[in-house]
């Protein structure tokens, strides 16, 4: 199977999404992971803190993002030499924002001022001993689930319940520019509610309206993972919680708020 080499290719004034961005709900709409990473890229490029670290990322998803041309822009809302807040916005076709990122960034220090404490990752096995798997619920053969290699330590894409999975990139984020570990983390993390689905994909939809990550250190290496659980509220709302990690150990946590309704 020949796959696109990247999630996005340059277009006049922006980017065009490839088939690897297609989400599970509609072949004309993107999975939120790729545009989340594209917004992160724009926010980091706008940053005034050279070599800084992004420690909190809060995404609002105002409307589905179509598979096609998109534009991203970023503004430093709260400038500073040590701490800053950057906002990035994604549009498609008109000026109406479809996704927004609010990212707190900090100066990176390596002066030994604080003891480093790394919790071990919660996966039951490393990526080498985890089970390769392909999601069965995408309507298109070439879609988001092909953008990453997936290996499951516990749980499954294709059955309900909590899951712990490792991933590595199978493509670039934008053409000719390999994914950074943090971009990879964003492409992956929006799928936390997919790997830990508590409902039947065929009868229910449970799209997230936001995505939030809190990171105590930057991800490192080729393989990243998440240990995810979805909790139903019984009122049309649900939450997905995940521990995010690399091979060294935990790096932070993520949350999604899900809107649940029959398909």
């Amino acid at each position: 199977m020949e796959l696109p080499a990247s999630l996005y290719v340059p277009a006049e004034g922006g980017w065009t999404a490839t088939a690897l961005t297609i989400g599970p709900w509609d072949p004309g709409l993107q999975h939120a992971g790729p545009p989340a990473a594209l917004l992160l890229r724009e926010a980091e490029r706008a940053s005034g803190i050279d070599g800084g670290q992004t420690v909190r990322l809060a995404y609002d998803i105002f409307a589905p993002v179509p598979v096609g041309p998109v534009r991203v822009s970023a503004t430093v809302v709260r400038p500073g030499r040590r701490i800053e807040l950057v906002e990035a916005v994604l549009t498609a076709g008109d000026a109406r924002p479809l996704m927004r990122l609010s990212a707190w960034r900090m100066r990176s220090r390596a002066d030994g001022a604080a003891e480093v404490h790394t919790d071990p990752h919660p996966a039951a096995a490393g990526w080498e001993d985890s089970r390769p798997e392909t999601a069965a619920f995408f309507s298109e053969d070439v879609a988001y689930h092909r953008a990453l290699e997936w290996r499951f330590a516990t749980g499954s894409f294709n059955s309900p319940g909590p899951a712990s999975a490792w991933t590595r990139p199978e493509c670039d984020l934008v053409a000719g520019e390999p994914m950074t570990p943090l971009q990879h983390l964003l492409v992956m993390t929006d799928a936390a509610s997919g790997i830990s689905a508590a409902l039947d994909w065929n009868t229910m939809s449970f799209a997230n309206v936001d995505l939030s990550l809190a990171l105590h250190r930057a991800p490192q290496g080729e393989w990243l993972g998440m240990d995810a659980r979805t909790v139903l509220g019984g009122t049309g709302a649900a939450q997905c919680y995940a521990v995010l990690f690399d091979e060294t150990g935990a790096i932070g946590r993520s949350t999604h708020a899900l809107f649940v309704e029959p398909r």
Side-chain angles (χ1 to χ4, degrees):
M1 181 185 301
E2 187 172 351
L3 299 176
S6 63
L7 292 163
Y8 298 97
V9 295
E12 185 177 355
W15 306 94
T16 295
T18 71
L20 286 175
T21 66
I22 295 173
W25 306 115
D26 185 311
L29 301 178
Q30 295 188 43
H31 191 284
L38 193 64
L39 283 166
L40 164 71
R41 177 184 180 274
E42 191 70 13
E44 290 188 325
R45 288 165 66 88
S47 170
I49 302 178
D50 188 35
Q53 55 187 330
T54 305
V55 298
R56 199 288 308 265
L57 303 102
Y59 292 88
D60 294 302
I61 304 171
F62 301 123
V65 178
V67 178
V70 297
R71 295 172 182 263
V72 288
S73 61
T75 305
V76 178
V77 178
R78 190 276 193 194
R81 292 182 296 108
R82 297 179 300 170
I83 301 171
E84 68 179 358
L85 179 66
V86 184
E87 183 176 278
V89 175
L90 181 145
T91 60
D94 56 31
R96 181 172 62 104
L98 302 179
M99 285 183 65
R100 178 180 64 195
L101 164 64
S102 177
W104 279 105
R105 289 177 48 77
M106 297 181 180
R107 186 178 68 191
S108 182
R109 298 178 59 173
D111 59 3
E115 181 182 354
V116 176
H117 177 74
T118 300
D119 290 332
H121 67 68
W127 64 267
E128 307 97 323
D129 300 315
S130 295
R131 184 186 72 259
E133 187 176 288
T134 300
F137 47 79
F138 281 79
S139 61
E140 307 300 306
D141 201 26
V142 178
Y144 164 82
H145 62 303
R146 305 285 186 185
L148 304 172
E149 179 182 352
W150 292 87
R151 296 195 179 192
F152 281 77
T154 56
S156 169
F157 250 137
N158 302 314
S159 60
S164 185
W166 294 92
T167 69
R168 71 172 174 180
E170 295 278 44
C171 63
D172 294 343
L173 175 62
V174 300
E177 189 176 301
M179 269 188 224
T180 67
L182 188 54
Q183 291 168 359
H184 169 195
L185 187 73
L186 268 299
V187 173
M188 175 192 76
T189 302
D190 192 70
S193 59
I195 70 169
S196 65
L199 297 167
D200 185 347
W201 286 89
N202 297 308
T203 60
M204 302 293 291
S205 70
F206 38 94
N208 53 307
V209 299
D210 77 339
L211 170 63
S212 296
L213 290 83
L215 306 175
H216 57 267
R217 66 175 179 88
Q220 300 175 11
E222 183 181 33
W223 286 92
L224 303 179
M226 54 184 172
D227 184 77
R229 176 181 298 272
T230 296
V231 181
L232 301 174
T235 59
Q239 288 282 345
C240 176
Y241 307 100
V243 176
L244 309 174
F245 51 88
D246 57 21
E247 291 188 79
T248 302
I251 59 177
R253 295 178 180 270
S254 69
T255 64
H256 301 62
L258 307 175
F259 177 69
V260 180
E261 64 177 350
R263 296 196 72 166

